Amino acid sequence: MGAHKETLGFQAEVKQLLHLMIHSLYSNKEIFLRELISNASDACDKLRFEAIGQPELMEGGGELAIRVAFDKAARTITVSDNGIGMSRDEAVQHLGTIARSGTREFFAQLTGDQQKDAQLIGQFGVGFYSSFIVADRVTVISRRAGTGEAIKWESSGAGEFTIEPAERAERGTDVILHLKEGEDELLSHWQLKSILTKYSDHIATPIRMNKEEWDKDKGEHVTRDEEETVNQANALWARAKSDISDDQYKEFYRHVSHDFGEPLAWTHNRVEGKTEYIQLLYLPGKAPFDIWDRQSRHGIKLYVRRVFIMDDAEQLMPTYLRFVRGVIDSSDLPLNVSREILQESRDVRAIREGSTKRILGLLEDLAENRKDDYARFWAEFGQVLKEGIGEDHANKERIARLLRFSSTGSDAQAVSLADYVGRMKDKQKAIYYVTADTLEAAGNSPHLEVFRKKDVEVLLLADRIDEWMLGFLHEFDGRPLESIAKGDLDLGELADAAEKEEQARVADEYKELVGRVRTALGERVKDVRVTLRLTDSPACVVAERDAMSGHLARLLKAAGQKAPESKPILELNPHHPLVQRLKTEEASLAEWSALLLEQAVLAEGGQLDDPAAFVRRVNTLLLDAAK
Ligand code: ADP
Ligand code: MG
């Protein structure tokens, strides 16, 4: 297998990514070093972990370390580590393809605009390929721990790479960058060291460079054999908070999240007591591409007493907080803990509960004290957080306080349930809402008319998840949540005595007409009645109190699920001239009734069973009018 040199092609996405990276990230070119150090450190973490079960992988010990060197004459920079290394197949796989979830979504979002795309690519994670920003050829020599064979991988980043057998004295990896013309300023001890200090100080594995000193006779700097460690080389999360600068927190975020951007906020705590652990958890500034994939990578890295155990430890965070990134370092779990054990572990449950509380606390703090940041958070992750209403019974109340909605008083999703309750009218008992496919449809719903008239605020809900969430959120702060498109609208004490009298009076006055319309519509409706909830529209449809709303039934159908057949109730506005005309209408009553029903269904965002019949009816009317 592969005892000779082979030339292989990059996966198409890699070619695209390389092209994009080289062109849009040039102004950030020094990040290549951060990415290579990040990979070297991951490789050391992986070896430390695998060696727990297979100590022989350590090949007789030796401290795990990363080395950075440069060669002025050859114009190369080399980043070496004595970590896990790569076999031939691993090199082909890991350096020739992108296996990340969300890759397709990422490419679909590219615009061709360099600045916008640079942002996107940063979020996607630039990784190993960022080497090609400064290098026109990259050579990787690697030997997988526990094997005797080394490989040499090489590419000029133009679509192909070669792979062939090689020699390496020890396990680990060298990444050798052959610099492009004009990149010589990187060939300096001072320059490399300052990039490392800036981006990689938080790396727990020591990063070493040869010392340099000024040679008076030669009149230049010369490299000495003696090495120096250029980073602090201890786990950032285990340091005292007061010893960590905001910039260091941010760089560490980039390392754990593979996100180029900045975190919105973080929380760092040492938890003591029955279960002991350190948590350093971040809220990202932007949602990743695969946020809607509930199976997507979870962002928590698990360490046990500083030893890296696994990425994406999904048991450490509930699904509705899957956007959280960071590290949890447990003092209690065994080093050989597996995903299966995590599932069962009481310590893990305690960690998950503790971390959930921390994140909710962090969000509450943002909502209270950094409103702009909370609005940013909400725009990126609000819909995911809503899943928590159905998923996390214990914290439902806290999550409900964090929700933000649009309302008849505010277009932006900025109204909290507490704000709403604070603005409720004296006699108002319920929190009113209306759901629809879009905010416009919700805002134009005929059901809102009486609420506008009475100046009562109504929440406008148009996110796909809202109907599902409402199935779990029946009240807030002791007030029921009520759909205004359901049931016999009971405005309770919001309606005054005169209005109640008026309702009784019109019900009586229109009794006969209502009966005729009901007969005309037959099986198409559950019932017909008059209502005072409308001011401008002649009619509207509502669902029975316990029936599924029209909106939810449509969502279910769109998702290919069966929705129980539920017929609408048609409500007529007795003050509307059209309805008043109906009283004296004989010949066309059936047609007019059908039209009123059909337009009410359309106004609600619904679909007609027989749209052609509706069009025919409208045209007949138009022709009559034109006569
Ligand atoms: P990421 O670090 O996000 O996985 P990269 O593009 O940085 O993506 O690296 C791709 C993969 O290449 C890594 O996941 C790892 O499997 C492999 N790799 C890169 N550098 C090294 C290294 N120094 N030692 C071992 N494996 C490496
Ligand atoms: Mg990487």
Side-chain angles (χ1 to χ4, degrees):
M1 175 211 74
H4 54 287
K5 181 164 173 170
E6 277 183 84
T7 301
L8 299 170
F10 282 121
Q11 181 195 26
E13 282 84 355
V14 174
K15 279 194 251 177
Q16 246 180 303
L17 190 68
L18 279 168
H19 181 80
L20 194 73
M21 180 126 36
I22 293 163
H23 289 88
S24 46
L25 287 185
Y26 188 74
S27 53
N28 279 312
K29 61 181 173 179
E30 63 201 32
I31 55 152
F32 79 89
L33 193 53
R34 166 184 88 192
E35 296 300 325
L36 296 182
I37 296 289
S38 174
N39 287 347
S41 142
D42 287 348
C44 293
D45 274 351
K46 282 180 203 156
L47 175 66
R48 225 177 261 124
F49 175 65
E50 283 194 20
I52 298 168
Q54 293 168 270
E56 64 279 11
L57 290 182
M58 283 297 190
E59 296 173 10
E63 184 209 31
L64 294 176
I66 301 167
R67 281 185 42 83
V68 176
F70 65 97
D71 182 332
K72 261 189 160 144
R75 303 187 61 258
T76 58
I77 294 174
T78 301
V79 177
S80 306
D81 65 72
N82 54 359
I84 193 76
M86 281 176 276
S87 67
R88 178 189 179 283
D89 288 351
E90 285 166 337
V92 169
Q93 178 70 28
H94 297 150
L95 307 182
T97 63
I98 305 170
R100 294 191 41 195
S101 72
T103 304
R104 201 159 2 106
E105 291 84 338
F106 165 71
F107 282 103
Q109 289 190 35
L110 291 175
T111 60
D113 175 314
Q114 263 193 24
Q115 227 173 348
K116 278 195 199 138
D117 289 350
Q119 282 259 324
L120 276 176
I121 199 178
Q123 258 180 279
F124 183 70
V126 286
F128 170 77
Y129 299 117
S130 61
S131 316
F132 289 100
I133 304 174
V134 295
D136 52 20
R137 187 157 53 94
V138 177
T139 310
V140 179
I141 313 268
S142 191
R143 187 172 128 188
R144 180 74 160 88
T147 72
E149 290 155 26
I151 54 102
K152 174 174 162 186
W153 179 102
E154 195 164 62
S155 175
S156 57
E160 286 175 345
F161 61 88
T162 59
I163 186 132
E164 63 193 295
E167 295 289 327
R168 197 178 193 280
E170 286 188 314
R171 59 148 208 275
T173 303
D174 308 301
V175 179
I176 305 156
L177 308 185
H178 307 267
L179 295 185
K180 289 180 181 169
E181 281 311 320
E183 302 297 349
D184 293 48
E185 64 176 14
L186 288 167
L187 297 168
S188 128
H189 180 87
W190 179 84
Q191 182 77 10
L192 291 173
K193 189 172 160 181
S194 61
I195 300 175
L196 290 170
T197 320
K198 182 167 166 198
Y199 292 115
S200 305
D201 184 63
H202 61 80
I203 294 287
T205 308
I207 305 170
R208 303 252 157 79
M209 290 185 77
N210 279 90
K211 279 191 174 165
E212 209 183 56
E213 70 185 6
W214 180 251
D215 187 316
K216 265 200 302 231
D217 299 336
K218 288 191 181 158
E220 60 179 22
H221 284 102
V222 292
T223 304
R224 287 171 38 189
D225 283 344
E226 199 185 329
E227 285 190 334
E228 61 176 333
T229 304
V230 300
N231 62 336
Q232 292 193 45
N234 58 7
L236 177 125
W237 62 88
R239 298 179 204 164
K241 279 186 188 185
S242 52
D243 292 344
I244 310 173
S245 70
D246 281 3
D247 280 341
Q248 286 171 329
Y249 272 121
K250 289 177 188 172
E251 274 312 325
F252 186 70
Y253 165 76
R254 295 188 172 112
H255 172 65
V256 290
S257 69
H258 298 262
D259 176 356
F260 198 63
E262 290 208 351
L264 195 61
W266 58 84
T267 174
H268 181 192
N269 314 283
R270 188 182 289 272
V271 181
E272 275 153 9
K274 247 212 266 154
T275 25
E276 303 211 340
Y277 57 96
I278 301 172
Q279 59 191 180
L280 172 50
L281 304 173
Y282 292 89
L283 296 176
K286 281 210 155 291
F289 301 91
D290 50 1
I291 188 72
W292 290 111
D293 180 358
R294 284 169 52 91
Q295 314 302 331
S296 72
R297 304 213 287 192
H298 288 237
I300 308 296
K301 276 180 190 256
L302 174 64
Y303 283 75
V304 171
R305 295 180 289 280
R306 314 290 176 272
V307 177
F308 168 77
I309 305 294
M310 66 180 79
D311 280 314
D312 315 329
E314 68 272 10
Q315 290 84 358
L316 298 178
M317 268 295 154
T319 311
Y320 73 95
L321 295 180
R322 60 185 173 277
F323 46 80
V324 175
R325 300 285 177 261
V327 166
I328 288 186
D329 187 340
S330 159
S331 308
D332 309 313
L333 291 169
L335 279 171
N336 62 358
V337 66
S338 66
R339 281 185 197 269
E340 291 68 43
I341 296 176
L342 283 186
Q343 206 116 37
E344 313 277 288
S345 159
R346 281 187 28 219
D347 287 322
V348 169
R349 206 174 322 135
I351 292 175
R352 182 173 56 228
E353 282 166 14
S355 303
T356 302
K357 292 213 160 70
R358 278 291 172 189
I359 290 296
L360 294 178
L362 182 61
L363 291 172
E364 284 157 359
D365 181 48
L366 289 188
E368 185 72 23
N369 303 313
R370 290 164 56 189
K371 292 198 181 338
D372 287 352
D373 283 340
Y374 191 70
R376 280 175 59 202
F377 163 79
W378 185 258
E380 294 292 324
F381 302 110
Q383 299 206 47
V384 183
L385 190 68
K386 284 178 184 174
E387 294 171 15
I389 293 288
E391 242 170 60
D392 188 348
H393 194 73
N395 290 302
K396 190 160 114 178
E397 179 70 28
R398 282 180 85 176
I399 300 168
R401 287 190 180 275
L402 290 166
L403 299 176
R404 295 293 181 270
F405 300 101
S406 307
S407 83
T408 43
S410 150
D411 276 350
Q413 285 199 5
V415 180
S416 71
L417 291 170
D419 293 340
Y420 181 99
V421 168
R423 289 196 288 259
M424 275 167 67
K425 296 279 178 247
D426 273 354
K427 293 172 174 169
Q428 186 180 346
K429 293 276 186 301
I431 298 170
Y432 292 111
Y433 68 85
V434 60
T435 56
D437 293 333
T438 63
L439 207 52
E440 289 73 38
N444 289 323
S445 164
H447 298 120
L448 286 173
E449 290 170 10
V450 67
F451 292 91
R452 287 230 164 83
K453 189 170 125 195
K454 293 192 170 292
D455 193 27
V456 170
E457 185 172 15
V458 176
L459 301 176
L460 308 177
L461 275 55
D463 284 338
R464 277 190 94 80
I465 189 171
D466 288 338
E467 284 277 6
W468 176 86
M469 178 185 72
L470 287 162
F472 299 92
L473 188 65
H474 302 293
E475 59 153 53
F476 176 80
D477 218 9
R479 274 90 169 172
L481 269 82
E482 259 184 46
S483 163
I484 62 166
K486 264 192 188 176
D488 216 354
L489 181 67
D490 180 6
L491 287 175
E493 290 169 35
L494 280 174
D496 53 33
E499 284 168 319
K500 284 179 186 157
E501 239 166 66
E502 170 73 355
Q503 173 75 41
R505 192 188 64 74
V506 294
D508 196 51
E509 184 189 337
Y510 281 78
K511 201 169 173 180
E512 198 259 350
L513 173 66
V514 161
R516 287 197 293 141
V517 174
R518 196 184 288 132
T519 314
L521 292 173
E523 287 296 295
R524 296 181 68 184
V525 290
K526 172 94 189 163
D527 198 4
V528 180
R529 59 193 179 212
V530 281
T531 184
L532 293 178
R533 75 166 95 204
L534 300 173
T535 57
D536 304 327
S537 310
C540 67
V541 285
V542 296
E544 275 177 282
R545 183 160 290 272
D546 298 319
M548 192 175 278
S549 73
H551 178 243
L552 180 56
R554 284 195 296 285
L555 282 181
L556 284 177
K557 269 192 199 154
Q561 294 186 36
K562 258 224 184 103
E565 200 59 54
S566 71
K567 290 180 195 160
I569 296 166
L570 179 68
E571 293 193 343
L572 302 174
N573 173 2
H575 298 137
H576 197 280
L578 268 178
V579 177
Q580 290 169 349
R581 259 290 301 278
L582 266 189
K583 278 209 278 190
T584 56
E585 192 59 49
E586 292 287 342
S588 312
L589 182 93
E591 286 291 286
W592 282 42
S593 302
L595 265 176
L596 283 177
L597 172 65
E598 286 159 359
Q599 58 162 277
V601 169
L602 287 176
E604 200 221 18
Q607 277 179 0
L608 300 176
D609 292 334
D610 187 356
F614 171 74
V615 172
R616 188 162 25 77
R617 280 192 256 280
V618 170
N619 287 338
T620 309
L621 267 187
L622 289 174
L623 277 175
D624 278 353
K627 265 184 203 155

